[in-house]
Amino acid sequence: MSCSLLDFCRVQELRHVRDFLLQSQKNASSDDNKEQTETELAWDESDWGSWETTDTKEDGTTPDDDDDAQQNSATWLQDCVLALSPCSDLLVIARDQKAVFLSAKWQTDATGKEEMMLAVSWSGTLGAEDGESVSSVICIPLASQKRSSTGRPDWTCIVVGFSSGYVRFYTENGVLLLAQLLNEDPALRLKCRTYEIPRHPGVTEQHEELSILYPAALVTIDGFSLFQSLRACRNQVARAPPTAPT
């Protein structure tokens, strides 16, 4: 079996995304380096001559430290929770309580060819409870009810499951619309099912629903009721007066 990989978009500012999501880890690493530096300033003759057997660089690092840093830099994305919209116009990268939303935009390269880029549109903290972290994410495009849109997605809802059992719904700008505590165990996986007409005789139609998988439970939410609730919450947020900057 063989397949071909097609390049349909590129991600911008990936280094900034990594620095933002791993900011707490970088701060802890800098504190450890500071403590190590203060310890090295103290005069200690117990390991006199050990510098002769250690391959140390001018900046004080060893080859093992460089290997560990490269390994951590290459695998940081595997420790994150990722979700791509079915329309490929929104990418969510989350870790612990932080998340970054990347939206699609078109850009012309040097040859005049247009290509789609995913750039950072929002970044911030999603968690509201102490000690909880993001455990699952899914992006759900919601169709517009305008007749002129011909069923095109009006906006994308980001559904986030947390280790505390909470499931929260956000807009593309990181605005919280709805939060529900459906179970006290971590939300392991989220799955959305859209409406589908029967393909064969005797097969019932498939209704819209959102499924949340927990370690010992499976919660199903009716899609039509959820859509109406999210629509009402989004309209309420749009009518809310803007907050004054602090």
Side-chain angles (χ1 to χ4, degrees):
M1 181 178 180
S2 62
C3 64
S4 59
L5 300 178
L6 301 178
D7 182 11
F8 70 93
C9 72
R10 299 177 183 272
V11 179
Q12 286 184 337
E13 304 173 350
L14 190 59
R15 182 182 297 272
H16 298 287
V17 174
R18 182 193 63 183
D19 294 341
F20 174 75
L21 295 177
L22 303 181
Q23 186 176 5
S24 59
Q25 184 176 355
K26 290 178 60 179
N27 294 336
S29 178
S30 61
D31 294 340
D32 294 341
N33 294 335
K34 182 178 180 181
E35 293 178 359
Q36 183 179 1
T37 303
E38 293 177 352
T39 304
E40 291 175 352
L41 291 177
W43 185 265
D44 187 8
E45 298 181 356
S46 59
D47 57 347
W48 183 264
S50 60
W51 56 273
E52 297 178 355
T53 59
T54 304
D55 188 8
T56 306
K57 298 182 179 180
E58 295 180 357
D59 57 355
T61 60
T62 61
D64 295 337
D65 296 336
D66 294 341
D67 295 340
D68 295 339
Q70 292 179 0
Q71 184 177 3
N72 294 333
S73 177
T75 61
W76 71 271
L77 199 58
Q78 300 179 5
D79 298 332
C80 299
V81 181
L82 287 82
L84 180 65
S85 172
C87 301
S88 302
D89 58 351
L90 181 64
L91 175 65
V92 177
I93 305 177
R95 186 178 187 272
D96 293 337
Q97 292 187 346
K98 297 181 179 180
V100 179
F101 299 168
L102 299 98
S103 301
K105 66 177 183 179
W106 292 94
Q107 186 176 357
T108 305
D109 57 6
T111 60
K113 180 181 178 181
E114 291 187 352
E115 59 180 1
M116 189 174 70
M117 308 291 293
L118 289 174
V120 176
S121 58
W122 182 86
S123 61
T125 303
L126 296 178
E129 301 291 334
D130 294 336
E132 69 176 0
S133 59
V134 176
S135 56
S136 56
V137 181
I138 188 174
C139 301
I140 304 178
L142 299 178
S144 175
Q145 292 185 332
K146 298 180 180 179
R147 295 183 179 180
S148 58
S149 62
T150 63
R152 294 181 180 178
D154 184 22
W155 62 289
T156 302
C157 179
I158 296 94
V159 187
V160 184
F162 291 86
S163 59
S164 60
Y166 266 98
V167 177
R168 297 184 176 92
F169 302 83
Y170 298 87
T171 64
E172 306 98 322
N173 300 325
V175 179
L176 177 62
L177 297 177
L178 187 64
Q180 291 289 331
L181 180 60
L182 303 174
N183 199 288
E184 295 183 355
D185 293 329
L188 301 179
R189 189 174 180 181
L190 303 171
K191 184 177 181 180
C192 179
R193 177 179 296 178
T194 58
Y195 175 79
E196 184 178 353
I197 60 176
R199 297 183 179 180
H200 306 284
V203 179
T204 59
E205 61 181 2
Q206 178 177 295
H207 296 281
E208 299 175 344
E209 62 182 14
L210 175 65
S211 301
I212 303 102
L213 178 63
Y214 292 95
L218 177 64
V219 180
T220 303
I221 302 177
D222 178 64
F224 180 77
S225 302
L226 178 61
F227 173 74
Q228 297 297 332
S229 300
L230 293 176
R231 179 188 175 190
C233 294
R234 186 167 180 262
N235 293 336
Q236 184 178 1
V237 170
R239 291 193 300 265
T243 57
T246 57

